[in-house]
Amino acid sequence: MDGVFEKMSGLLGARFMLGLLMPLLAWCGGVGALVATAHGWTATLRWWDALSVSKQVLLAVAAAVGVVVLATMLGTVVIPLTRMLEGYWGQLGNPFAALGVRLQKRRLERLESQTTDFTDYRIYLGFPDTDLLPTRLGNILRAAETYSGDSDRWAVDAVFWWPRLYVLLSDASRQAVDDTRDALDQLVVMTWLLAAFGLVAAGFGVGGMSTVVWLPCSVGGLAASRVTYLAATSAAAGFGEQVRSSFDLYRLELLTHLGWQTPAQWPDERALWQALQQQLYRRGASQSDLLTQPRTSQERQSWFNVTHDLAKQMFRGRRASDIRTGDHGH
C-alpha cells in the first residue's frame, strides 16, 4: 500500500510541476523581466548587489514559496478557467455569447455543406446535437458530454454517471482519460497565462515603456495564447473521445454493479437507463416497473463478496488489488 501511495504522490507531483508550477514560473520570470526593464537592468542589478547574502537568500526563498502557493491556488480554479473558455459567461456575457453562437453556427453550416467523411468526423467531434456554445472548445466538450445521453445512442447522462463509471475503468483506460485531461488542463492554464502576460506588457506600454519592448511582448503573448487555445481544442477532442469510449465499453459493467441485468434489446437498455436516472435524480421514475426486477442470487453473492473483502481491506490492511469483484470485472 505504501508503494501505491508513493506512486500516486509522484504522479501528482509531476502533474503539478508540468501543468502548473513550470508555466507559472515562466510567467513570473517574464513579468519580472518587464519590471527590470522598466526600472533599468543596471539599477536592478545594483539594487540586488547591495543586498546582504542573507536578504538575497530570504527573498529567493520567499519568491519560490510564493510561486508554489500561487500555483496551488491556480490549480483550484482550472475548472472555472476552462468553463470560461467554453463560453459560460453569465448574464453579463450574453451579448458576446450570442455573437459567438452565431459564428459557431456558420462554422457548422460550412462543414455541413461539404459531404465528406472528414467533415462528418469534424462535426462529430466538434459540435453537439443540442444547443451550441459560443466557443470552439465549449462545443467540443459539450459534444462529448451529450454523446452518451443521446436517445439514439445509450441514453446515459454523462454528467451524472461519469463519477460512477470512472471508478470502474481499467487501469489502462483510466490512465488514458487522465493523460488527455491533464494535457487539456495544462493548455488551458498556458492560454490564460500567456493572455495575461500580453495584457501586462500592454499595461507597461501605457506606463511609458519603450514600444520596441512592450509591443512585441504583448503581441507575442496574445498570439501564443491563441495558439495554445487551439492546441487545447485538440486536447479536448482527444479527452472527449476517451469519455465516449468509456461509456461505450463500460456502461454495461456499471449497470451490473448497480444490480441490474443487461436488457436483451437496445431500446430496453435505453429505457432502463432513463428510469434509473429519473429514480436517482428525483426519487421517482416514469417507468418504475423497470426497476422492480429482482437481482439474481449470483449478483447478490458477488455484492456480498465485494462488501466482505472491502471490510477486510479496511480492518486488516489488505491491498485494493486483492479485492474480489466476482463477475463484474473484465
Side-chain angles (χ1 to χ4, degrees):
M1 197 68 180
D2 293 337
V4 173
F5 179 77
E6 291 175 1
K7 181 178 179 181
M8 292 181 61
S9 300
L11 183 58
L12 291 175
R15 292 171 179 170
F16 177 78
M17 289 286 293
L18 296 176
L20 295 170
L21 188 59
M22 297 303 293
L24 185 60
L25 184 62
W27 186 86
C28 291
V31 173
L34 288 175
V35 172
T37 302
H39 289 278
W41 281 94
T42 302
T44 301
L45 292 174
R46 188 182 302 116
W47 167 81
W48 178 258
D49 291 336
L51 297 175
S52 64
V53 175
S54 60
K55 289 184 178 180
Q56 290 178 350
V57 172
L58 183 61
L59 284 175
V61 171
V65 172
V67 171
V68 172
V69 171
L70 288 175
T72 303
M73 296 174 62
L74 182 61
T76 64
V77 296
V78 170
I79 292 179
L81 292 177
T82 304
R83 289 182 65 81
M84 286 287 291
L85 293 181
E86 288 182 70
Y88 295 101
W89 300 330
Q91 293 184 349
L92 294 178
N94 282 342
F96 302 100
L99 176 61
V101 169
R102 286 198 295 270
L103 294 175
Q104 294 300 311
K105 285 183 178 178
R106 291 178 184 175
R107 286 186 60 238
L108 178 59
E109 290 170 356
R110 287 197 299 268
L111 289 174
E112 289 177 335
S113 65
Q114 308 171 27
T115 55
T116 65
D117 293 339
F118 179 67
T119 55
D120 289 343
Y121 185 64
R122 290 184 62 186
I123 293 172
Y124 158 78
L125 285 181
F127 295 93
D129 296 325
T130 57
D131 295 335
L132 295 178
L133 286 171
T135 70
R136 185 176 302 187
L137 180 65
N139 286 315
I140 290 173
L141 291 176
R142 175 169 283 188
E145 292 172 359
T146 58
Y147 168 83
S148 62
D150 192 322
S151 59
D152 291 328
R153 293 188 178 107
W154 311 123
V156 180
D157 185 347
V159 175
F160 179 79
W161 290 111
W162 177 249
R164 298 153 178 82
L165 185 76
Y166 179 81
V167 299
L168 300 179
L169 300 180
S170 67
D171 291 341
S173 296
R174 189 180 297 111
Q175 186 65 50
V177 170
D178 291 344
D179 288 345
T180 52
R181 181 71 209 202
D182 289 343
L184 171 59
D185 290 345
Q186 182 179 20
L187 289 167
V188 166
V189 169
M190 292 177 63
T191 297
W192 282 103
L193 289 178
L194 287 167
F197 179 77
L199 295 177
V200 169
F204 276 98
V206 174
M209 180 178 284
S210 172
T211 305
V212 177
V213 178
W214 76 264
L215 186 59
C217 291
S218 181
V219 174
L222 295 175
S225 177
R226 175 63 179 175
V227 172
T228 54
Y229 170 79
L230 294 176
T233 62
S234 297
F239 171 69
E241 276 295 81
Q242 293 298 327
V243 173
R244 291 183 182 93
S245 64
S246 296
F247 279 100
D248 290 343
L249 300 176
Y250 289 94
R251 75 188 189 286
L252 297 181
E253 185 169 344
L254 174 60
L255 194 62
T256 301
H257 275 74
L258 290 171
W260 271 267
Q261 298 178 355
T262 303
Q265 301 295 325
W266 197 353
D268 296 333
E269 180 191 338
R270 291 196 292 257
L272 178 57
W273 279 117
Q274 291 173 343
L276 283 170
Q277 288 160 189
Q278 292 172 356
Q279 182 66 38
L280 297 178
Y281 264 132
R282 61 190 189 212
R283 293 183 293 180
S286 57
Q287 292 182 285
S288 58
D289 58 300
L290 296 177
L291 306 179
T292 59
Q293 60 171 310
R295 294 173 179 169
T296 66
S297 59
Q298 182 180 3
E299 288 169 341
R300 287 196 295 269
Q301 182 62 35
S302 295
W303 274 104
F304 172 80
N305 289 340
V306 171
T307 305
H308 182 255
D309 289 344
L310 278 172
K312 288 198 293 184
Q313 179 203 8
M314 293 174 64
F315 288 103
R316 301 183 184 178
R318 293 189 61 190
R319 295 182 179 178
S321 60
D322 292 336
I323 299 176
R324 289 176 294 176
T325 57
D327 295 332
H328 299 294
H330 282 294

